Amino acid sequence: MSLEIIPTGAPVAAEIRGVDLSQPIGDNVFALIERAYDEHGVIFFRDQHVTPPQQVAFTRRFGDIEFNIFGERWSVAGSPEIVVVSNITEDGKPIGVKRAGENWHSDMCYTARPPRGTMLYAIEIPTLHGLTLGDTEFASAAAAWDALPDSLRHRIEGRRAIFDFSGRKRAFPPSQSEIERNPPVHHPIVRTHPHTGRKCLYAMRDDCTGIDGLEQDEAESLIAALADHIVKPAHIYRHQWRPGDLLMWDNCTVQHRAIQDYDMPQRRLMHRTTMGGAVPA
Ligand code: SIN
């Protein structure tokens, strides 16, 4: 079967068919996958059966692996590169990060080199009365830039926002050493995708605590306006998961949030890997 790329029709996300990720992938096929990933911001493969080492090997095709901050606490035995994202408890103890990413965000934007992208492999997906729960929403920050009025574009181009790890409400409060390892960083509000050259907005309510050169009140109201604009319904794709989905998103052009509309005994189990990134430009 040959590779097919099927756009979802939303401004972000395409399904890729005709690829078995448990098998070696040749360079030509990989180049098509990587191009689709850069262009669509989110790509997904249905009906996959990948082992943790296979997921890690596929992630490494996109560059170095980034060890996620949660990996120290919840990784897969034998695969420290994989973080377990799950609401499941065993013997009264959580087996993974629970309620991860329920607010709009771009992963690890508070680091000096935010990751290129993130990959989630769905193992168990919650259902209730035959309905699937635990969707993830993705917003195109590139479509949001395209839709921005010129006056606002001129106001923000060249400006940098302050991203502060300690400024955000988190499902699990970070430790003092995690805070010390992640001092505030200043990233451009208008980013350029390193491979496609496409511009996109980079601002989130919870992680951005200010804008260089602006008074705090003005900065906060501008961040809120941009953050709300990015996640307008016209910019969103909502992914309804099936077990066996392997999905990856681009952390430059896409923001995401997990919909927390389920709880035990509905079980959700995902394996997450993160790709190393670069200083945003
Ligand atoms: C995340 O933000 O990494 C979690 C996304 C999800 O679990 O759907």
Side-chain angles (χ1 to χ4, degrees):
M1 192 172 163
S2 59
L3 179 141
E4 274 184 284
I5 298 165
I6 300 150
T8 56
V12 63
E15 178 179 355
I16 303 201
R17 291 193 190 153
V19 180
D20 178 351
L21 296 172
S22 68
Q23 299 300 314
I25 295 170
D27 288 344
N28 292 346
V29 169
F30 180 73
L32 295 174
I33 293 172
E34 189 172 35
R35 186 168 351 127
Y37 174 53
D38 287 336
E39 280 175 7
H40 294 280
V42 175
I43 54 171
F44 58 92
F45 308 79
R46 301 275 196 194
D47 304 317
Q48 300 297 316
H49 301 276
V50 292
T51 62
Q54 286 166 344
Q55 181 175 348
V56 170
F58 184 54
T59 310
R60 284 198 194 281
R61 296 289 293 268
F62 295 87
D64 291 339
I65 291 251
E66 174 78 45
F67 282 77
N68 192 281
I69 196 156
F70 290 120
E72 287 172 19
R73 302 184 218 181
W74 291 290
S75 60
V76 171
S79 294
E81 304 90 340
I82 297 185
V83 177
V84 178
V85 174
S86 183
N87 68 327
I88 300 170
T89 48
E90 280 172 5
D91 301 328
K93 293 202 185 104
I95 65 161
V97 192
K98 194 178 170 190
R99 304 189 79 93
E102 60 186 315
N103 298 324
W104 284 107
H105 66 287
S106 171
D107 291 332
M108 297 167 73
C109 56
Y110 47 80
T111 58
R113 299 167 66 87
R116 175 181 181 185
T118 307
M119 195 181 284
L120 269 190
Y121 176 50
I123 297 165
E124 290 186 64
I125 295 300
T127 56
L128 186 63
H129 306 302
L131 297 172
T132 300
L133 305 173
D135 296 354
T136 306
E137 286 188 314
F138 298 93
S140 171
W145 165 259
D146 294 346
L148 210 63
D150 278 345
S151 55
L152 196 43
R153 286 185 179 191
H154 293 139
R155 202 169 143 209
I156 60 174
E157 260 194 300
R159 289 207 177 270
R160 284 176 179 267
I162 303 158
F163 292 74
D164 190 347
F165 179 65
S166 63
R168 178 177 176 193
K169 249 195 319 173
R170 288 171 198 282
F172 287 91
S175 67
Q176 193 53 34
S177 78
E178 285 165 345
I179 291 173
E180 279 161 19
R181 267 183 282 144
N182 292 285
V185 288
H186 302 239
H187 292 315
I189 299 176
V190 183
R191 283 185 67 176
T192 304
H193 191 277
H195 300 136
T196 64
R198 197 163 174 203
K199 285 189 176 178
C200 59
L201 292 173
Y202 201 60
M204 308 99 203
R205 269 178 187 275
D206 295 340
D207 293 287
C208 297
T209 54
I211 297 178
D212 290 345
L214 294 190
E215 294 295 334
Q216 194 58 21
D217 282 358
E218 186 185 358
E220 280 176 16
S221 97
L222 187 51
I223 290 164
L226 294 172
D228 290 348
H229 171 70
I230 292 168
V231 302
K232 280 184 180 152
H235 305 147
I236 289 176
Y237 165 69
R238 181 167 174 143
H239 189 73
Q240 192 172 78
W241 294 92
R242 295 185 207 157
D245 282 358
L246 187 141
L247 178 148
M248 45 197 287
W249 61 83
D250 182 306
N251 279 309
C252 173
T253 54
V254 178
Q255 292 188 18
H256 63 284
R257 70 167 171 180
I259 307 293
Q260 301 286 342
D261 56 358
Y262 60 94
D263 211 340
M264 287 292 267
Q266 295 114 25
R267 294 161 59 101
R268 190 173 188 269
L269 173 59
M270 313 289 238
H271 281 178
R272 180 170 68 197
T273 42
T274 310
M275 301 160 209
V279 175

